[in-house]
Amino acid sequence: MDLVPALEEPLKKVLGPPTAKVMAEHLGLHTVGDLLHHYPRRYEERGQLTHLADLPMDEHVTVVAMVADARLHSFASAKSPRGKGQRLEVTITDGHGRLQLVFFGNGVHKPHKELLPGTRAMFAGKVSVFNRRLQLAHPAYELLRGDTEEAVETWAGALIPLYPATAKLESWKIGKAVQTVLPSAREAVDPLPESLRAGRGLVSLPEALLKIHRPHTKADIDAARTRLKWDEAFVLQVALARRRHADAQLPAVPRRPAADGLLSAFDDRLPFTLTDGQRKVSAEIFDDLATDHPMHRLLQGEVGSGKTLVALRAMLAVVDAGGQAALLAPTEVLAQQHHRSVVEMMGELAEGGMLGGADRATKVVLLTGSMGSAARRQALLDLVTGEAGIVIGTHALIEDKVRFHDLGLVVVDEQHRFGVEQRDALRGKGRQPPHLLVMTATPIPRTVAMTVFGDLETSVLDQLPAGRSPIASHVVPAADKPHFLARAWERVREEVANGHQAYVVCPRIGDEEDDPRKAGRKKSPEDEAEKRPPLAVLDVADHLAKGPLHGLTVEVLHGRMHPDDKDAVMRRFAAGDTHVLVATTVIEVGVNVPNATAMVIMDADRFGVSQLHQLRGRVGRGSAPGLCLLVTEMPEASPARQRLGAVAATLDGFELSRIDLEQRREGDVLGQAQSGARSSLRVLAVIEDEEVIEQAREEAVAVVEADPELTAHPGLRTALDALLDEEREQYLEKG
């Protein structure tokens, strides 16, 4: 993390080109500093052997065990027809389980001499099954004799570090390389201020690096890990605190709604009262909008908690104050949906400049890539003259041709779908930096929000508006109990008979040769076991229309349809003309059809936990209760089924997001949310280390407020430069 000349030394100079090449290609390690920050995954205790009984199949493992016996066999083979082929079988034990090692051909001579009964060693290889027994074929091994000076030196510590390794580079080879560079750790510049270290009782960075790589006791490991977690949390929080501090220095136009303007006229025509949560969050937003530096706020809300209404009130406040507001949506379907619902909610207040428009009305325009040129020209004109107070659009809003009269607020919906450059381009369209409101319906645990969106203040809407109905969710095990699936289609028919509508969601469209998302993904063992390709919209719609849902109106919706066709399908569904909509996840966000009460998700195991929660939020939006059926062919004991069980068991998105996070590597979560810019966490776990992250944030704010340029903290500056190489620096600049 913090690199000084000794730590910037390229590994090829220190370890030689061959080893350095493998480390660079397979582990992403290039310098001495990189290697020192490649921490052990776990530790073996001398005298305490690995449980051989628990070895995972097909994985690369490192075990510490003792040789029980070794036998050399001769056999005939194609290469040695006279019975000259040789096979060495070695049995190792940890006192409980046994494991067979096999060596063939010329590879038998060295192990035959060295692996004598009673010898202890570390063995590394891929676990496979032969004759129904676990074995390692041609494992690499390192003897734990302690009879040479080097071995005594290397294994003097009571704990043997096991490193994240690859088939090309065993754990102990990494360990030896670390031993070579470990003396450089003494030159590591400490990023934590002395007062913070003393106040929190943390060891110095050089000491932490020595202890994590060569611990003598478990207490050494704990002290080192605690210290290194602080490094990661603190340096990241300082970067975010500096970002917030810099934003606070930017000028912005304060936007205060007029006392009897558009906002109050809108509130008067609302057919319901706002929830306490909506009032509270609106107050936070209005306070921010009234300041003379740009608002940067993240609005998290459960599916259906009324985020769009809160965002619309903020936009109306800005229009009241003479500015314009832009809502950026990730897809055309969603932009059109937002435009329709905003115009409906505003009524004559959205008809500025038109006959029948209210006195205080403004114009609400839609701008998407597929609009006809005449409509597009008119929309652009309305924006540049200021005639349109509100614009809703897709990436088309970002194009150079788009000019605003006075852009005061940018609302970004589902922020994780936008690149930073896109948000930045839109923010650059204001005469002064506009206020920014980012919305997401993917509930994010607080610490993840602090780590990923730490440069935004956070508001949470966790209350559902009155009149929203509960959603019952059930897992439908189609393979174990086919009659359950038949019953699911009966339930859909019952909902339609009661005057309601249903969604059927599939993972794939069905007109492509192969799903591009599947092609690039590594297959999990579950995928391997499941050879059938995921179910596709076009096939399922056809099957349903001819079979279980014969006689009902079934339509399809997916991302590759022409925008006009998509819009027409959505309009027919919203009007109630279509009984069942068979769709991809294009309906995941923002689609609002209160009369749709049932959703059947096919191959539900192919979707993530948060995505299932999002999809389910499309039903139960009216007064009738919602029903969500998660169809899967996965066996009962599989992790996929447990995941679906968790989704069926709770409607709490924050609880589900924790489950989701615990089941995936944090890096994936942070990476997904921030284009990989902050997925470099090595020892910090955003869920487990909640306390460290909160404390680090407090300390970071105090340090940055006292010394924004960090002139008194050269070590911290160095660490920041390493964390924020140029690309990440720009990333935060724009974030």
Side-chain angles (χ1 to χ4, degrees):
M1 194 177 294
D2 58 300
L3 303 179
V4 295
L7 274 66
E8 281 175 8
E9 189 84 28
L11 287 173
K12 63 171 171 255
K13 269 190 169 173
V14 188
L15 305 175
T19 308
K21 185 169 187 264
V22 176
M23 286 197 166
E25 286 177 4
H26 294 275
L27 297 168
L29 309 176
H30 303 277
T31 64
V32 168
D34 291 344
L35 181 53
L36 287 174
H37 287 294
H38 185 71
Y39 309 130
R41 179 175 284 154
R42 59 190 178 88
Y43 300 84
E44 278 297 345
E45 290 183 59
R46 301 289 305 271
Q48 201 186 337
L49 302 179
T50 313
H51 290 302
L52 296 178
D54 302 336
L55 293 182
M57 274 294 297
D58 282 340
E59 279 194 28
H60 204 81
V61 298
T62 304
V63 296
V64 178
M66 186 180 286
V67 177
D69 65 46
R71 293 179 187 170
L72 192 62
H73 302 278
S74 297
F75 62 91
S77 70
K79 284 185 181 169
S80 319
R82 296 206 186 122
K84 293 282 175 62
Q86 289 192 305
R87 180 174 79 243
L88 176 67
E89 289 180 0
V90 178
T91 305
I92 58 172
T93 177
D94 60 358
H96 305 286
R98 290 180 160 240
L99 180 65
Q100 183 111 18
L101 314 177
V102 258
F103 301 88
F104 295 99
N106 296 335
V108 303
H109 306 307
K110 186 168 176 270
H112 190 215
K113 281 204 295 253
E114 293 182 333
L115 297 180
L116 304 172
T119 307
R120 287 191 61 236
M122 296 172 76
F123 301 92
K126 199 171 180 185
V127 183
S128 57
V129 172
F130 182 71
N131 278 346
R132 288 190 294 190
R133 286 165 66 191
L134 289 182
Q135 70 166 28
L136 296 182
H138 279 288
Y141 62 88
E142 174 86 359
L143 302 179
L144 301 182
R145 278 192 298 235
D147 54 358
T148 68
E149 229 174 278
E150 185 198 4
V152 172
E153 175 62 26
T154 309
W155 309 110
L159 294 154
I160 301 166
L162 295 183
Y163 289 88
T166 74
K168 295 262 193 276
L169 203 62
E170 293 85 8
S171 169
W172 57 83
K173 286 188 182 161
I174 297 172
K176 279 185 174 170
V178 169
Q179 296 300 333
T180 308
V181 302
L182 204 50
S184 305
R186 299 185 190 286
E187 297 184 45
V189 176
D190 204 317
L192 296 192
E194 179 56 48
S195 56
L196 189 160
R197 271 209 329 268
R200 301 274 176 189
L202 301 169
V203 300
S204 71
L205 180 58
E207 192 182 333
L209 290 171
L210 290 168
K211 283 185 166 169
I212 198 132
H213 291 296
R214 288 185 64 179
H216 291 282
T217 62
K218 286 185 174 169
D220 282 353
I221 299 169
D222 291 343
R225 286 181 70 83
T226 302
R227 163 59 218 247
L228 294 166
K229 281 180 179 183
W230 260 92
D231 273 22
E232 289 184 5
F234 180 70
V235 175
L236 182 55
Q237 291 301 335
V238 166
L240 295 166
R242 290 185 75 206
R243 187 67 258 127
R244 288 195 301 277
H245 185 271
D247 284 339
Q249 313 309 310
L250 289 174
V253 180
R255 310 280 180 174
R256 295 183 183 86
D260 56 350
L262 192 54
L263 178 61
S264 51
F266 174 74
D267 285 349
D268 291 345
R269 55 169 286 133
L270 278 178
F272 50 80
T273 54
L274 299 175
T275 64
D276 293 344
Q278 286 172 327
R279 283 180 205 285
K280 180 174 147 290
V281 170
S282 288
E284 291 169 353
I285 291 171
F286 291 153
D287 286 349
D288 282 0
L289 290 173
T291 61
D292 54 9
H293 57 83
M295 164 172 82
H296 286 95
R297 191 166 280 281
L298 172 69
L299 172 55
Q300 293 193 59
E302 275 285 16
V303 178
S305 57
K307 289 182 304 302
T308 313
L309 177 63
V310 169
L312 176 56
R313 293 185 75 241
M315 294 196 283
L316 294 173
V318 169
V319 174
D320 255 357
Q324 291 169 293
L327 170 58
L328 188 58
T331 63
E332 293 215 351
V333 166
L334 189 50
Q336 288 162 341
Q337 177 82 31
H338 273 317
H339 181 254
R340 258 201 307 277
S341 59
V342 164
V343 169
E344 274 167 26
M345 280 196 274
M346 288 177 64
E348 75 267 19
L349 297 174
E351 295 170 0
M354 292 184 248
L355 277 173
D359 294 345
R360 288 166 295 194
T362 187
K363 215 171 189 184
V364 180
V365 300
L366 176 69
L367 191 61
T368 64
S370 63
M371 283 169 74
S373 53
R376 189 181 173 73
R377 258 199 313 276
Q378 185 59 52
L380 291 172
L381 187 65
D382 289 341
L383 286 180
V384 78
T385 58
E387 186 85 10
I390 294 176
V391 59
I392 296 166
T394 55
H395 301 93
L397 280 177
I398 296 164
E399 290 170 14
D400 290 344
K401 290 196 283 287
V402 181
R403 294 270 180 277
F404 288 86
H405 177 63
D406 179 14
L407 181 60
L409 170 67
V410 173
V411 181
V412 180
D413 193 15
E414 288 310 317
Q415 102 94 38
H416 63 277
R417 294 166 178 234
F418 285 102
V420 173
E421 292 71 23
Q422 295 160 329
R423 288 212 308 267
D424 191 47
L426 189 51
R427 274 163 65 181
K429 290 185 178 292
R431 277 180 272 180
Q432 285 192 333
H435 298 281
L436 175 70
L437 180 65
V438 167
M439 300 197 294
T440 177
T442 308
I444 307 162
R446 224 161 60 84
T447 42
V448 180
M450 277 161 114
T451 312
V452 179
F453 303 108
D455 42 354
L456 301 171
E457 299 299 327
T458 305
S459 296
V460 177
L461 271 179
D462 46 13
Q463 221 182 343
L464 289 188
R468 283 299 302 259
S469 305
I471 304 169
S473 305
H474 304 284
V475 178
V476 177
D480 314 350
K481 301 179 176 163
H483 59 286
F484 275 36
L485 182 58
R487 175 71 188 117
W489 301 127
E490 279 173 26
R491 282 291 290 111
V492 169
R493 293 191 85 97
E494 286 164 15
E495 290 297 312
V496 172
N498 289 331
H500 298 301
Q501 293 158 278
Y503 297 100
V504 177
V505 182
C506 306
R508 215 160 51 96
I509 297 172
D511 60 355
E512 67 274 68
E513 284 175 31
D514 198 4
D515 186 347
R517 283 174 308 176
K518 297 287 286 179
R521 234 176 52 200
K522 259 184 81 177
K523 290 193 168 73
S524 70
E526 287 175 12
D527 279 350
E528 283 297 355
E530 182 66 279
K531 293 295 183 201
R532 171 177 70 64
L535 289 169
V537 167
L538 301 177
D539 306 339
V540 168
D542 189 51
H543 164 72
L544 293 177
K546 290 174 179 166
L549 303 184
H550 181 63
L552 303 186
T553 317
V554 178
E555 288 211 65
V556 300
L557 181 71
H558 58 74
R560 281 216 289 277
M561 289 164 63
H562 187 278
D564 292 349
D565 296 341
K566 278 194 281 201
D567 199 39
V569 169
M570 272 317 301
R571 278 177 190 282
R572 285 196 292 275
F573 190 64
D577 301 340
T578 305
H579 297 132
V580 179
L581 187 63
V582 183
T584 56
T585 55
V586 72
I587 62 152
E588 178 186 347
V589 181
V591 171
N592 184 24
V593 180
N595 192 45
T597 51
M599 176 177 285
V600 182
I601 303 179
M602 308 302 290
D603 282 341
D605 47 273
R606 313 264 178 157
F607 299 96
V609 169
S610 298
Q611 200 173 26
L612 290 169
H613 183 58
Q614 286 283 340
L615 286 165
R616 168 172 67 184
R618 300 300 112 213
V619 295
R621 298 179 79 86
S623 51
L627 172 69
C628 178
L629 302 175
L630 306 166
V631 180
T632 177
E633 293 187 359
M634 282 294 163
E636 197 162 357
S638 65
R641 272 287 281 280
Q642 288 161 9
R643 218 168 47 232
L644 295 180
V647 174
T650 178
L651 288 172
D652 181 342
F654 287 93
E655 175 58 29
L656 287 173
S657 71
R658 285 184 83 100
I659 293 168
D660 202 14
L661 197 56
E662 280 157 11
Q663 289 183 339
R664 288 155 47 181
R665 278 186 31 255
E666 249 118 21
D668 299 343
V669 177
L670 303 187
Q672 179 192 2
Q674 288 290 52
S675 321
R678 311 207 187 141
S679 58
S680 52
L681 301 185
R682 294 184 176 99
V683 280
L684 192 70
V686 286
I687 288 287
E688 290 161 37
D689 299 320
E690 215 155 336
E691 243 172 81
V692 175
I693 292 170
E694 288 187 19
Q695 292 167 2
R697 182 172 168 134
E698 281 168 33
E699 295 274 9
V701 168
V703 167
V704 171
E705 277 179 6
D707 179 8
E709 292 306 310
L710 307 178
T711 35
H713 305 288
L716 179 53
R717 277 229 64 122
T718 310
L720 264 184
D721 294 341
L723 173 74
L724 309 176
D725 48 39
E726 207 169 314
E727 181 190 343
R728 290 180 186 167
E729 182 69 80
Q730 288 175 352
Y731 188 89
L732 283 180
E733 282 295 327
K734 296 172 178 175

